[in-house]
Amino acid sequence: MNYKIVLKILGVVLFWESLLLIPSLIISALDQSYEIKAFVITIVTCFITGLILKNIKTNENEMRKREGYASVALCWLVMSLAGALPFYLSGSIPSYIDALFETISGFTTTGSSIVRDIESMPRGLLFWRSFTHWIGGMGVLVFTMALAPLLGGRSVFLARAESPGPTFGKLVPKLSDTSKILYIIYAGMTAVTIILLIIAGMPVFDSFIHAFGTAGTGGFSNKALSIGYYNNIWVDWIITIGMFLFGVNFTLYYLLLIRGDWKSFIKNEEFRLYTGYVLLGVFLVFLNTLKHFNYDFSETLRYSSFTVSTLVSTTGYATTDFNFWPMFSKSVLLALMFFGSCAGSTAGGIKSIRVLVLFKALYHEIKHTIHPNSVQTIKVDGKSIDTETLKSILIFFFAYVIIILFSVIIVSLDNFDFMTSFSAVIATISNIGPGFEIVGPMGNYADFSNLSKIVMSACMILGRLEVIPVLVILAPSIWKKH
Amino acid sequence: MNYKIVLKILGVVLFWESLLLIPSLIISALDQSYEIKAFVITIVTCFITGLILKNIKTNENEMRKREGYASVALCWLVMSLAGALPFYLSGSIPSYIDALFETISGFTTTGSSIVRDIESMPRGLLFWRSFTHWIGGMGVLVFTMALAPLLGGRSVFLARAESPGPTFGKLVPKLSDTSKILYIIYAGMTAVTIILLIIAGMPVFDSFIHAFGTAGTGGFSNKALSIGYYNNIWVDWIITIGMFLFGVNFTLYYLLLIRGDWKSFIKNEEFRLYTGYVLLGVFLVFLNTLKHFNYDFSETLRYSSFTVSTLVSTTGYATTDFNFWPMFSKSVLLALMFFGSCAGSTAGGIKSIRVLVLFKALYHEIKHTIHPNSVQTIKVDGKSIDTETLKSILIFFFAYVIIILFSVIIVSLDNFDFMTSFSAVIATISNIGPGFEIVGPMGNYADFSNLSKIVMSACMILGRLEVIPVLVILAPSIWKKH
């Protein structure tokens, strides 16, 4: 491990974070609120530490895979450690573990919250809280792609370590160009969401908050009742569709918008599977909750669509307390929370592309059992999946399930009911936010022990960085000096 | 598909079943109980149908993999369809779906029951119910290995299709010899269990019942309180150790008893992992339930050891209602229920050997990520696991989890709490018996809808036959006439 390179990268991250904190400081200053001092201290600390670290002299040719993985995983931790300071120093969140949980939940676009009375939080902090979603939003992807040019040499490993999903191809030859294009699409789609929400009647500040949460598929709201507070059918549908769209692989938007290639979009197998299980989910939940909504078809459709979209896209907003829905709907939702949306989007979960490959692998295994001599390769969008990639996806699935299992065991020490512990772990590792029962859409994570909060924070980072890169930095051999 | 071969095999199975029903008929006759007629009708029907079908003329060289898989999966269904008749015809279980559930639960050595008042069931039926555990016990393995010689030719596929786990090597060159040796070990160990239970003070009839359940890792009892009824510390420990031992790969007993090879036994990686997580499980549950047992160390050890042993060996007896234990213990137990015992034993679950390979695969994936150029192969007991086998195990894991997920969704239609639906599905697919809450050790499966009972019956067969062979017969191409 070349520690200098890792420190330099962390310096760049902290430097940028100090700049990204400025809009929140401005809001605090306008409101003349008590958290100004906390923002100033955080910004100055990040700026100075960042400046010192980013000027460390390094031989950038020594950037290898291990430095890439270590800096990516540590970036998220360091950003969150620093980003938690405004909440903690202002006294708005008195426990630092809680503040850290909230910030990791923000940057990983999870949206699980430990705040009991969100509406009393000052606007500067609310803005920062939701802005972390937007920053984290394009995943690790764009963010560190913007860093990549600074590192030069073998920094392409950074992007590989962070790529959300197995099939995020390079769109254009130069990494920084890709980064810019994705960034523009992301910012453009966010702007459209903000404008539509304002037109629909949501206050301007709230529109920013909820557009950040939608774009990042995060889910932090500034209202205790989440989107349900507005009880506005236009807002509901704008966000329902927005969340669905931010769960689509951004490569497809590039192909559609820049190249006008709508065929690739519509024929894309991952997109089809994703759309397929979203529609099936809405259909099943719709049928199952009809009675709950007194057979009001349009109300049922509105709430079932919103809830399916918010959970499958791993956003986690709410318009109604789905805790009271029948168990069948909850199980369907739980399955969708586990699957998640497309790779190359801002969403979490296992990702549709992996689900697709896994089912194809199972189908081929069955076929191979009947016809042992036939040679078959798994294809997605006409391209073969090689054995190594397939093995990685299968191992990823195992790792994902095993982490859930072990995390549930530890979280169970708090002795909450099983659905609470189980759904809390799924909701954090899949970067969703709310689960069921105590951590349901109208509940929060405040009552968990610190141990559980740390385990679930780890789950959020594991989920966001797709497990293996985080496990890699736990291997002792990566830390050997050379 | 060569239907004639499949029918012939089913005939042999029915013929044998008619003979295996005779001991139960004798007990009924001695008791002069009302179910005699039901037994006679069943035996005559099985005998005649069996005799006709088993004399079908076939070209045994046409036995291929597909005929093997189809007959194995159908054997279990046909045996259960016939084996359910005594319960149904006698009126002891008025619903045929219920009787079928109970019989499948018996043959698959699951032990999930829909009987509300077990102690009013006549002894003949109780004996048959538990005897199905013992028959199913050596899994599909020995049973159809006894059939194999009748089929000749390519019938080795039968054994392959049914082999519980990936590493059940042929012990001796000739299949029928292997079958006999395993059968003798199995019968011998059962006899020892019966004798020890009688010495410990259990009534003779009950000793047979509970030895069948222990040997088959089934779990049916003739008492509502299960083993807890006797409140006998010797009985508890005999069964605790018995269940653990019946969860060990029988190949190891062969090596130990016939060849005196205790080194292979102790050095066996699967056995070590299995013993490891059993001891860890007992340790964790012991610590976590100390308070529940008022810090009585020996009581706590007795109950925690029994419960861990019964669930990890997928037996499902009970000495106490672990529904009242803290959630942490329940989560640990749930994880053990998922893992199960060794391949080549009478137990269910994912099996230790697969868990071992899966963790090794994850470890190698992490290593490979850090050192991409290093070539590594996964080894178990010094032997390399080839890529195809590894892929099969990984796909098996995915299939197992996905079947659980889909089954939970369907069972949720009954609108029971999540822990009930979730643990019921795990308890059936892993061939355990009881789960938690409504299906806890003192509860039963009677309240589920017929749909759920059918889904869980399918889970029991899927689990017992290790998923893929059952999925294979669902593929349309296997049923094409040729």
Side-chain angles (χ1 to χ4, degrees):
Chain A
M1 177 69 70
N2 187 322
Y3 290 97
K4 280 186 181 170
I5 290 184
V6 176
L7 283 174
K8 188 188 177 92
I9 296 172
L10 295 178
V12 174
V13 167
L14 282 174
F15 179 78
W16 275 96
E17 190 171 6
S18 72
L19 303 181
L20 292 165
L21 276 156
I22 291 173
S24 309
L25 172 66
I26 293 171
I27 294 171
S28 288
L30 289 173
D31 287 358
Q32 301 207 310
S33 181
Y34 64 86
E35 76 281 10
I36 299 181
K37 215 171 127 187
F39 273 121
V40 173
I41 297 172
T42 310
I43 290 172
V44 171
T45 312
C46 288
F47 186 82
I48 294 173
T49 320
L51 215 59
I52 294 169
L53 293 179
K54 96 186 183 77
N55 286 313
I56 290 176
K57 287 255 175 297
T58 58
N59 180 357
E60 276 151 19
N61 288 324
E62 292 199 4
M63 179 79 191
R64 291 160 308 169
K65 266 200 156 183
R66 57 181 73 183
E67 282 78 16
Y69 283 114
S71 31
V72 166
L74 289 177
C75 268
W76 284 75
L77 195 62
V78 168
M79 278 192 78
S80 301
L81 286 167
L85 289 176
F87 299 112
Y88 178 64
L89 295 177
S90 67
S92 179
I93 300 179
S95 147
Y96 184 70
I97 295 276
D98 282 1
L100 186 62
F101 180 93
E102 197 79 5
T103 314
I104 291 177
S105 178
F107 279 122
T108 57
T109 79
T110 304
S112 301
S113 179
I114 50 77
V115 180
R116 285 181 206 269
D117 180 14
I118 192 64
E119 291 175 36
S120 72
M121 194 179 260
R123 297 203 310 159
L125 288 174
L126 284 173
F127 190 87
W128 173 239
R129 182 167 170 265
S130 289
F131 199 46
T132 57
H133 276 340
W134 200 73
I135 299 168
M138 261 305 257
V140 214
L141 191 71
V142 165
F143 193 78
T144 46
M145 276 187 177
L147 285 178
L150 293 172
L151 294 164
R154 299 177 71 173
S155 61
V156 69
F157 288 131
L158 264 182
R160 268 190 67 183
E162 301 208 4
S163 162
T167 57
F168 199 96
K170 279 191 252 172
L171 301 179
V172 286
K174 276 184 70 184
L175 208 52
S176 57
D177 289 350
T178 318
S179 145
K180 267 177 213 150
I181 292 167
L182 294 175
Y183 211 67
I184 290 166
I185 295 173
Y186 182 59
M189 282 173 65
T190 310
V192 171
T193 311
I194 296 172
I195 293 164
L196 288 175
L197 286 176
I198 294 172
I199 294 172
M202 192 184 272
V204 175
F205 180 78
D206 299 20
S207 298
F208 271 85
I209 294 290
H210 293 112
F212 290 157
T214 305
T217 64
F220 279 151
S221 171
N222 56 338
K223 300 294 174 192
L225 293 176
S226 187
I227 306 298
Y229 172 86
Y230 305 97
N231 196 16
N232 175 327
I233 192 165
W234 292 103
V235 165
D236 284 11
W237 281 108
I238 291 165
I239 294 183
T240 301
I241 294 164
M243 294 184 296
F244 174 80
L245 293 178
F246 277 102
V248 173
N249 191 325
F250 272 58
T251 316
L252 294 179
Y253 292 129
Y254 170 83
L255 295 172
L256 185 69
L257 297 173
I258 316 283
R259 291 199 198 150
D261 182 0
W262 57 269
K263 265 194 181 172
S264 295
F265 200 112
I266 290 170
K267 285 195 173 171
N268 183 268
E269 285 188 51
E270 183 184 23
F271 177 70
R272 285 182 169 200
L273 177 69
Y274 170 56
T275 312
Y277 64 63
V278 168
L279 292 177
L280 181 66
V282 171
F283 178 70
L284 293 174
V285 172
F286 174 83
L287 288 182
N288 190 240
T289 54
L290 261 176
K291 199 179 152 198
H292 176 86
F293 289 107
N294 295 313
Y295 301 97
D296 181 331
F297 278 61
S298 78
E299 284 281 282
T300 314
L301 186 65
R302 175 181 166 189
Y303 289 111
S304 57
S305 303
F306 187 94
T307 305
V308 165
S309 180
T310 202
L311 293 182
V312 83
S313 70
T314 73
T315 307
Y317 283 137
T319 46
T320 182
D321 192 348
F322 46 78
N323 251 333
F324 296 109
W325 288 5
M327 188 51 70
F328 176 76
S329 291
K330 292 199 214 174
S331 295
V332 169
L333 293 172
L334 211 51
L336 293 176
M337 287 163 73
F338 186 55
F339 288 169
S341 301
C342 303
S345 77
T346 60
I350 289 173
K351 306 278 157 70
S352 311
I353 183 77
R354 288 205 187 85
V355 176
L356 184 69
V357 171
L358 288 165
F359 273 106
K360 286 195 176 193
L362 177 59
Y363 175 75
H364 275 77
E365 178 77 5
I366 293 167
K367 259 193 137 170
H368 183 75
T369 306
I370 306 173
H371 310 285
N373 300 322
S374 66
V375 178
Q376 287 155 332
T377 49
I378 297 171
K379 286 185 179 182
V380 174
D381 292 327
K383 281 176 214 147
S384 300
I385 304 283
D386 64 88
T387 313
E388 278 303 306
T389 307
L390 173 62
K391 217 179 79 186
S392 290
I393 293 173
L394 286 161
I395 291 172
F396 171 88
F397 182 82
F398 169 69
Y400 206 82
V401 172
I402 281 300
I403 290 168
I404 291 174
L405 196 121
F406 287 152
S407 304
V408 169
I409 289 177
I410 301 174
V411 171
S412 293
L413 278 167
D414 290 350
N415 217 13
F416 290 125
D417 67 292
F418 184 69
M419 187 57 149
T420 295
S421 309
F422 187 71
S423 67
V425 169
I426 301 251
T428 46
I429 198 172
S430 289
N431 301 125
I432 294 161
F436 296 97
E437 305 302 335
I438 295 172
V439 295
M442 303 303 153
N444 64 60
Y445 287 72
D447 291 327
F448 283 106
S449 65
N450 280 340
L451 176 65
S452 292
K453 282 173 188 162
I454 290 167
V455 167
M456 288 190 278
S457 299
C459 281
M460 292 190 254
I461 293 179
L462 278 160
R464 183 74 276 183
L465 298 183
E466 314 229 311
V467 181
I468 305 295
V470 183
L471 295 181
V472 161
I473 69 157
L474 297 178
S477 77
I478 201 179
W479 293 105
K480 275 190 205 129
K481 252 200 141 157
H482 69 124
Chain B
M1 177 68 69
N2 186 322
Y3 290 98
K4 279 186 183 169
I5 289 184
V6 177
L7 283 174
K8 185 188 179 90
I9 295 171
L10 295 178
V12 175
V13 167
L14 283 174
F15 178 79
W16 275 96
E17 190 170 6
S18 72
L19 303 181
L20 291 166
L21 276 156
I22 290 173
S24 308
L25 172 66
I26 294 171
I27 293 172
S28 288
L30 289 173
D31 287 357
Q32 301 207 310
S33 182
Y34 64 86
E35 76 282 9
I36 300 179
K37 214 172 129 186
F39 273 121
V40 173
I41 297 172
T42 310
I43 290 171
V44 171
T45 313
C46 287
F47 186 82
I48 294 173
T49 321
L51 213 60
I52 295 169
L53 292 179
K54 94 185 185 77
N55 286 313
I56 290 176
K57 286 256 174 296
T58 58
N59 179 355
E60 276 152 19
N61 288 323
E62 291 199 5
M63 179 77 190
R64 290 161 309 168
K65 264 200 159 184
R66 58 182 73 183
E67 281 78 16
Y69 284 113
S71 30
V72 166
L74 289 177
C75 269
W76 285 75
L77 194 62
V78 168
M79 278 192 79
S80 301
L81 286 167
L85 289 176
F87 299 111
Y88 178 64
L89 295 177
S90 67
S92 179
I93 300 180
S95 147
Y96 184 70
I97 295 277
D98 281 1
L100 186 61
F101 180 93
E102 197 79 6
T103 314
I104 290 177
S105 178
F107 279 122
T108 57
T109 79
T110 304
S112 302
S113 178
I114 49 75
V115 180
R116 285 180 207 270
D117 180 15
I118 192 65
E119 291 174 37
S120 72
M121 194 179 260
R123 297 204 310 159
L125 288 175
L126 283 174
F127 189 87
W128 173 238
R129 182 167 169 265
S130 289
F131 199 46
T132 56
H133 276 339
W134 200 74
I135 299 168
M138 262 304 258
V140 215
L141 193 71
V142 165
F143 194 79
T144 47
M145 274 187 179
L147 284 178
L150 294 173
L151 293 164
R154 298 178 71 173
S155 61
V156 68
F157 289 131
L158 264 181
R160 269 190 65 183
E162 302 209 4
S163 161
T167 57
F168 200 94
K170 279 191 251 172
L171 301 181
V172 285
K174 276 182 73 184
L175 208 51
S176 57
D177 289 349
T178 318
S179 146
K180 268 177 213 150
I181 291 167
L182 293 175
Y183 212 67
I184 291 166
I185 296 173
Y186 182 60
M189 284 173 65
T190 310
V192 171
T193 310
I194 295 172
I195 293 164
L196 288 175
L197 286 176
I198 294 172
I199 293 171
M202 192 184 271
V204 174
F205 180 78
D206 299 21
S207 298
F208 272 85
I209 294 290
H210 293 112
F212 290 158
T214 304
T217 65
F220 278 151
S221 171
N222 57 339
K223 300 294 174 192
L225 292 175
S226 188
I227 306 298
Y229 171 87
Y230 305 98
N231 196 16
N232 176 327
I233 191 164
W234 293 102
V235 166
D236 284 12
W237 281 109
I238 291 165
I239 295 182
T240 300
I241 293 164
M243 293 184 297
F244 174 80
L245 293 177
F246 277 101
V248 173
N249 191 324
F250 272 57
T251 317
L252 294 180
Y253 293 128
Y254 170 82
L255 295 172
L256 185 68
L257 297 174
I258 316 283
R259 292 201 197 148
D261 184 359
W262 57 270
K263 265 194 181 171
S264 294
F265 200 112
I266 291 169
K267 284 195 174 172
N268 183 269
E269 285 187 52
E270 182 184 25
F271 177 69
R272 286 182 169 203
L273 176 69
Y274 170 56
T275 313
Y277 64 62
V278 168
L279 292 177
L280 180 66
V282 171
F283 178 69
L284 293 174
V285 172
F286 174 82
L287 287 183
N288 189 240
T289 54
L290 260 176
K291 200 180 151 195
H292 177 86
F293 289 107
N294 295 313
Y295 301 97
D296 182 331
F297 279 60
S298 77
E299 284 281 283
T300 314
L301 186 65
R302 174 182 167 188
Y303 290 111
S304 56
S305 303
F306 187 94
T307 305
V308 165
S309 179
T310 203
L311 293 183
V312 83
S313 69
T314 72
T315 307
Y317 282 137
T319 47
T320 182
D321 193 348
F322 46 79
N323 250 334
F324 295 109
W325 288 4
M327 188 50 71
F328 176 77
S329 291
K330 291 199 215 173
S331 294
V332 169
L333 293 172
L334 210 52
L336 294 176
M337 287 162 74
F338 186 56
F339 288 168
S341 302
C342 303
S345 76
T346 60
I350 289 173
K351 307 277 157 71
S352 310
I353 184 76
R354 289 205 185 86
V355 176
L356 184 69
V357 171
L358 289 165
F359 272 106
K360 287 195 177 193
L362 178 57
Y363 175 74
H364 276 78
E365 178 78 5
I366 293 167
K367 259 193 138 170
H368 183 75
T369 307
I370 305 174
H371 310 286
N373 300 322
S374 67
V375 178
Q376 288 154 333
T377 49
I378 297 171
K379 286 185 178 181
V380 174
D381 292 327
K383 282 176 214 149
S384 300
I385 305 281
D386 65 89
T387 313
E388 279 303 305
T389 308
L390 174 61
K391 218 179 78 186
S392 290
I393 294 173
L394 286 161
I395 292 172
F396 171 89
F397 182 83
F398 168 69
Y400 207 82
V401 173
I402 280 300
I403 290 168
I404 292 174
L405 196 122
F406 287 152
S407 303
V408 169
I409 290 177
I410 300 174
V411 171
S412 293
L413 278 167
D414 290 350
N415 217 13
F416 290 126
D417 67 292
F418 184 70
M419 187 57 149
T420 295
S421 309
F422 187 71
S423 67
V425 169
I426 301 253
T428 46
I429 197 170
S430 290
N431 301 125
I432 294 161
F436 295 98
E437 305 301 336
I438 295 172
V439 294
M442 303 302 153
N444 64 61
Y445 288 72
D447 292 327
F448 282 104
S449 65
N450 280 340
L451 175 63
S452 292
K453 283 174 188 162
I454 290 167
V455 167
M456 289 190 278
S457 299
C459 280
M460 293 190 254
I461 293 179
L462 279 160
R464 182 75 273 183
L465 298 183
E466 316 231 309
V467 180
I468 305 295
V470 183
L471 295 181
V472 160
I473 69 157
L474 298 177
S477 78
I478 202 178
W479 293 105
K480 274 188 205 131
K481 253 201 138 153
H482 70 123

